Amino acid sequence: CVITVANPTDGAYAGAYTRSTEDVYLSADNSMRVKYLEATAAPYLTCNGWHVQSNSVQQTQTLLYCEESAARAAALVVYLGLESVAIPGGRVADVCTWAQEGGLCTDGTHGAIVTGLCSLECVALQQFTSGGLDEEYQTFDGTYESNAASNCLNAADDHKAAHALRQLRVTPASAEATACADLTAEMCTTHQYFEVVAALCR
């Protein structure tokens, strides 16, 4: 339900307002509202009626994206054994896009490792909508569990990827939260996957 305020004393209040609750209508950017008030709600009111009000409270929300990493893309090439394979696009930087398009981000065997190395391509976009603003971002839930949402903002994805690598390629599994420390301590610089671990556990 939408109402229109026309020809108000202050022209800033003119425009369309969408119903939010039974007695509140909001402008598209949430900066103003039309609200039904009874005379007892405030000393300056003399009768019941609809009132146009402005919102002086401003809120901010930081929306973040994962970053591309040449070192991580190169590490994925090593991990997948693609050194002798022509990567589509002809650049190492394209390997993450190739992996994402090929379903490796969600692959049961390699998914956690690929996501750790290719966060920008593999981490799902989230939708943020507020006050007429509709944007996409990538986020995290800050946990270490294997079923946690992927992220690029803290160490959880790195640990998850390192844990998967340790289970799959190196030694028997240990605690996920300490996987990076365990792998770093175990590997020498000549190890087959040292470059992968170095990229994940920076």
Side-chain angles (χ1 to χ4, degrees), residues 117-140:
L117 293 171
C118 299
S119 297
L120 178 64
E121 290 79 7
C122 291
V123 174
L125 290 171
Q126 307 293 321
Q127 204 71 27
F128 175 82
T129 302
S130 178
L133 178 68
D134 193 8
E135 297 288 343
E136 291 180 330
Y137 68 102
Q138 290 169 307
T139 187
F140 72 101

Side-chain angles (χ1 to χ4, degrees), residues 46-67:
T46 57
C47 59
N48 301 341
W50 292 93
H51 295 260
V52 183
Q53 302 172 324
S54 63
N55 179 13
S56 60
V57 178
Q58 293 192 8
Q59 296 181 334
T60 60
Q61 175 68 50
T62 301
L63 304 179
L64 301 178
Y65 284 88
C66 303
E67 293 181 344

Side-chain angles (χ1 to χ4, degrees), residues 129-191:
T129 302
S130 178
L133 178 68
D134 193 8
E135 297 288 343
E136 291 180 330
Y137 68 102
Q138 290 169 307
T139 187
F140 72 101
D141 67 1
T143 64
Y144 286 117
E145 286 75 17
S146 297
N147 61 353
S150 293
N151 72 84
C152 55
L153 306 183
N154 66 7
D157 257 11
D158 294 344
H159 282 290
K160 188 186 302 182
H163 183 62
L165 178 64
R166 200 163 188 264
Q167 286 182 302
L168 184 65
R169 300 284 188 171
V170 188
T171 58
S174 62
E176 190 168 303
T178 63
C180 269
D182 293 338
L183 279 177
T184 302
E186 292 166 359
M187 282 191 176
C188 61
T189 57
T190 58
H191 193 283

